[in-house]
């Protein structure tokens, strides 16, 4: 017998609980997970240094390329295990939630939105700063929507990798002793940057989509990518359920 889809009433009844989970994730980010904020801050500094070096021309401020600066910063700060290891960082807690019947898509969605609450303001802030520096700046509304779209696109990618390549963070000395984990750990760290190499065609696609779908085209593309990522992560989790639970402990 196939399961019946949840009714609209049941869906709406579950919204307050889900919002509470998101609020809890945000509180944890600024509380017991402050090391994640340190990682995001370090990546932000590196991103701003790279973007400033590659786009700012002191002798020709009129040539300052302000388009997609927020997107570039998003790519840098989210190509990191903060995004691509959202389950492994809280492995014990996630296994407990799975045992209580919570789906992976719901768990990841709450973690995704908590990350977005931190990263979206950063990306939009970079775009606003670029507007102030550039003499020929792109449309602020379009650029800001592209920033939000880029964040959610990366969250979709991060959700899939969080299920496909989770690992439990360890102190350096413990990691060095656990030699059997080195290969998978290195792969987890490198995979986001491998994916970055394929993002340039996606940015071109976003530009074309803007022309076809208007100012919100890049945002729509990002939200579609996010939805597909959550769906793909849920399917992967069902197929590798036992392996996933093991890896969340390993």
């Amino acid at each position: 017998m196939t399961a019946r889809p949840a009714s609209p009433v049941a869906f709406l009844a579950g919204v307050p609980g889900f919002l509470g989970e998101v609020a809890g994730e945000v509180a944890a980010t600024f509380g017991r997970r402050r090391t994640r904020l340190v990682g995001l801050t370090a990546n932000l500094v590196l991103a701003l240094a790279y973007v400033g070096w590659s786009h700012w021309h002191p002798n020709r401020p009129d040539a300052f390329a302000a388009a997609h600066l927020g997107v570039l910063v998003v790519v840098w700060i989210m190509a990191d295990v903060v995004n691509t290891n959202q389950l492994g960082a809280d492995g014990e807690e996630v296994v407990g939630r799975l045992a209580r019947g919570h789906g992976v898509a719901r768990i990841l969605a709450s973690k995704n939105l908590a990350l977005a609450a931190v990263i979206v303001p950063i990306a939009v802030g970079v775009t606003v700063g670029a507007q102030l520096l550039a003499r020929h700046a792109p449309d602020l509304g379009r650029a800001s929507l592209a920033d939000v779209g880029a964040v959610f696109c990366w969250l979709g990618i991060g959700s899939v990798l969080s299920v496909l390549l989770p690992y439990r963070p360890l102190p350096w000395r413990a990691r060095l002793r656990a030699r059997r984990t080195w290969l998978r750990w290195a792969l987890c760290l490198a995979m986001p940057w491998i994916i970055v190499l394929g993002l340039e065609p996606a940015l071109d696609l976003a530009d074309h989509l803007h022309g076809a779908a208007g100012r919100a085209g890049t945002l729509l593309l990002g939200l579609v990518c996010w939805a597909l990522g959550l769906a793909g992560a849920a399917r992967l989790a069902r197929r590798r359920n036992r392996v996933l639970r093991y890896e969340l402990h390993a």
Side-chain angles (χ1 to χ4, degrees), residues 109-204:
S110 62
K111 292 178 178 293
N112 285 177
L113 292 177
L115 264 180
V118 176
I119 297 173
V120 166
I122 293 175
V124 174
V126 169
T127 293
V128 172
Q131 298 286 318
L132 298 176
L133 291 173
R135 292 185 179 178
H136 302 289
D139 178 76
L140 179 59
R142 176 198 172 187
S144 298
L145 290 174
D147 294 341
V148 180
V151 170
F152 278 92
C153 183
W154 254 114
L155 287 171
I157 295 170
S159 293
V160 173
L161 291 179
S162 293
V163 173
L164 194 60
L165 293 170
Y167 76 92
R168 182 166 59 93
L170 294 174
W172 276 104
R173 291 183 179 179
R175 179 66 66 191
L176 290 176
R177 290 194 297 268
R179 294 186 179 183
R180 62 183 179 83
T181 69
W182 287 0
L183 180 60
R184 187 161 67 90
W185 177 65
L187 183 61
C188 293
L189 296 180
M191 186 57 68
W193 293 102
I194 294 173
I195 293 175
V196 165
L197 299 177
L199 283 183
E200 186 173 350
L203 291 177
D204 291 338

Side-chain angles (χ1 to χ4, degrees), residues 12 54 115 136 163 211 221 247:
L12 291 175
S54 60
L115 264 180
H136 302 289
V163 173
L221 178 63
E247 289 177 342

Side-chain angles (χ1 to χ4, degrees), residues 5-147:
S7 68
V9 174
F11 172 79
L12 291 175
V15 169
F18 175 72
L19 293 179
E21 293 172 15
V22 175
E25 290 290 338
V26 173
T29 297
F30 290 95
R32 59 187 172 86
R33 299 176 187 157
R34 290 180 183 175
T35 53
R36 297 187 185 186
L37 293 179
V38 173
L40 287 174
T41 302
N43 281 351
L44 175 62
V45 171
L46 291 174
L48 292 176
Y50 170 76
V51 167
W53 172 78
S54 60
H55 288 71
W56 174 249
H57 305 279
N59 298 324
R60 294 186 59 203
D62 58 307
F64 178 43
H68 295 313
L69 283 193
V71 172
L72 289 173
V73 170
V74 166
V75 170
W76 270 79
I77 65 178
M78 295 187 72
D80 186 86
V81 293
V82 171
N83 174 39
T84 59
N85 189 40
Q86 295 181 57
L87 299 179
D90 302 304
E92 297 289 341
E93 176 187 331
V94 170
V95 170
R97 293 181 67 181
L98 291 173
R100 293 193 297 271
H102 288 222
V104 163
R106 175 170 177 155
I107 295 172
L108 282 169
S110 62
K111 292 178 178 293
N112 285 177
L113 292 177
L115 264 180
V118 176
I119 297 173
V120 166
I122 293 175
V124 174
V126 169
T127 293
V128 172
Q131 298 286 318
L132 298 176
L133 291 173
R135 292 185 179 178
H136 302 289
D139 178 76
L140 179 59
R142 176 198 172 187
S144 298
L145 290 174
D147 294 341

